[in-house]
Amino acid sequence: MGKANVIDGKAFAAGLRQRVGAGVAALAAEGGPKPGLATVLVGDDPASDVYVRSKGRMAAELGMASFDHRLPAATTEAELLELIARLNLDPAVHGILVQLPLPRHIDPAKVLLAIDPAKDVDGFHPSNVGRLGSVAPGGPLDFPVPCTPLGVSMLLQDVLGSLSGSDALVIGRSTLVGRPVAQLLLRADCTVTIAHSRTRDLPALSRRADIVVAAIGRPQFVRGDWIKPGATVIDVGINRVAAADGKSRLVGDVAFDEVAAVAGHVTPVPGGVGPMTVACLMYNTLQEARRAAGLPFVAV
Ligand code: NAP
């Protein structure tokens, strides 16, 4: 067992959910609306079904309304766009989540563009991507921010307090994770390097970093000798690998035991970033419900 503090994302996410639930109750007490989350699932992918169910269940647990839309795999793009147009106009709906992946005949970019940016609780609409890209250092995040990156940034701020001046390395440049994480760290006054598959000498870059965020999708890719002693390592990766007993298990993008022997703080997989994603979705839904009622964002 290493010496790093193992960041308990599960506990932090439980606390965040509890605070969001309290925020929902406070909004009702202010005469505000009941936050409503609409989930849309096209087709019957079993993994997507599990995700959508758990999101709906969590919304209900926090006192929100949840609207579950199931469409057959043969649904046309026009039909899906029509549903989104209806949800955009529905005052009971404050967040719209279209579960990806969509069937091949539907263009996800078109679907994303059709969602009202004020209801885009995934934070992927180009308008929200642009707002995150142009936010001032320390400026308000008064728009939906992608959930997993928001969760990463909340964990880092909880563990480290101020991130100002830290050297941060983000491994991965996807629009889903790497880029928005980098924008959030820049906003928090880190000096940010974004690495990807063409980066030269990644271990050397990593050894300079005070903060390493791994969002690669390769099991146990980041090794112990890449880490500066005392650094903070956030593992976003979720990889299913074969286990010795013939079953499978989840591992991250970080070789946990090696890294934990050197790092100051490290997230485990599972139980690190994973639980933050859905908690941040609830956080975004609450904030958009407040905004729809003309109320300011609240820190919870
Ligand atoms: P992605 O779209 O596949 O992006 C992976 C990134 O890693 C790309 O930018 C890629 O570089 C880079 N990369 C691949 N091989 C590399 C290498 N050898 N050296 C350096 N960089 C390399 O994946 P993603 O959607 O960002 O997801 C990343 C991981 O996070 C996955 O394991 C995913 O399951 C997990 N994830 C977890 C959550 C959660 O809730 N915890 C949410 C979303 C994703 P190029 O751009 O050059 O190809």
Side-chain angles (χ1 to χ4, degrees):
M1 193 60 203
K3 61 185 166 107
N5 163 45
V6 178
I7 299 171
D8 190 345
K10 205 171 157 190
F12 188 89
L16 176 60
R17 288 198 305 271
Q18 199 252 326
R19 296 193 298 280
V20 170
V24 172
L27 182 56
E30 284 177 76
K34 184 176 184 142
L37 175 66
T39 52
V40 181
L41 176 59
V42 186
D44 45 19
D45 177 60
S48 295
D49 180 66
V50 170
Y51 292 142
V52 164
R53 264 177 213 281
S54 75
K55 287 164 187 172
R57 199 171 45 233
M58 190 171 294
E61 274 169 25
L62 301 187
M64 300 184 182
S66 119
F67 308 98
D68 185 19
H69 294 270
R70 306 279 170 142
L71 305 178
T75 301
T76 64
E77 191 176 271
E79 284 165 339
L80 177 57
L81 294 176
E82 211 176 277
L83 170 62
I84 291 171
R86 277 211 313 278
L87 296 174
N88 282 343
L89 291 174
D90 186 342
V93 171
H94 305 99
I96 302 171
L97 184 138
V98 179
Q99 186 66 43
L100 299 175
L102 289 165
R104 280 172 180 278
H105 63 277
I106 299 180
D107 178 357
K110 261 196 206 164
V111 172
L112 209 60
L113 266 176
I115 297 173
D116 179 348
K119 297 190 178 188
D120 166 41
V121 280
D122 261 340
F124 295 144
H125 188 285
S127 152
N128 291 321
V129 172
R131 293 178 78 176
L132 182 57
S134 52
V135 73
L141 294 174
D142 50 0
F143 52 89
V145 173
C147 301
T148 301
L150 183 60
V152 168
S153 123
M154 284 184 183
L155 287 180
L156 279 170
Q157 304 219 340
D158 182 60
V159 169
L160 297 176
S162 169
L163 310 184
S164 183
S166 298
D167 277 326
L169 173 68
V170 181
I171 314 177
R173 58 175 161 180
S174 73
T175 51
L176 196 72
V177 190
R179 286 178 205 221
V181 165
Q183 300 284 11
L184 288 168
L185 294 180
L186 207 51
R187 171 183 171 273
D189 295 323
C190 293
T191 304
V192 182
T193 303
I194 307 176
H196 47 78
S197 65
R198 309 296 166 93
T199 295
R200 280 197 298 250
D201 205 354
L202 189 51
L205 277 179
S206 176
R207 278 182 213 112
R208 286 177 25 197
D210 305 306
I211 295 169
V212 176
V213 179
I216 311 161
R218 294 187 169 234
Q220 300 171 317
F221 188 75
V222 175
R223 312 306 308 196
D225 63 358
W226 294 24
I227 301 301
K228 176 157 101 177
T232 301
V233 180
I234 305 289
D235 189 351
V236 185
I238 302 179
N239 309 287
R240 192 164 281 287
V241 296
D245 58 5
K247 295 189 183 147
S248 67
R249 66 186 179 107
L250 289 184
V251 298
D253 289 346
V254 169
F256 182 83
D257 290 341
E258 284 179 22
V259 167
V262 187
H265 307 273
V266 60
T267 57
V269 175
V273 174
M276 291 300 293
T277 299
V278 64
C280 287
L281 177 70
M282 302 300 136
Y283 172 88
N284 281 345
T285 306
L286 168 64
Q287 302 293 12
E288 291 316 309
R290 291 185 61 84
R291 185 153 69 164
L295 296 166
F297 271 59
V298 279
V300 301

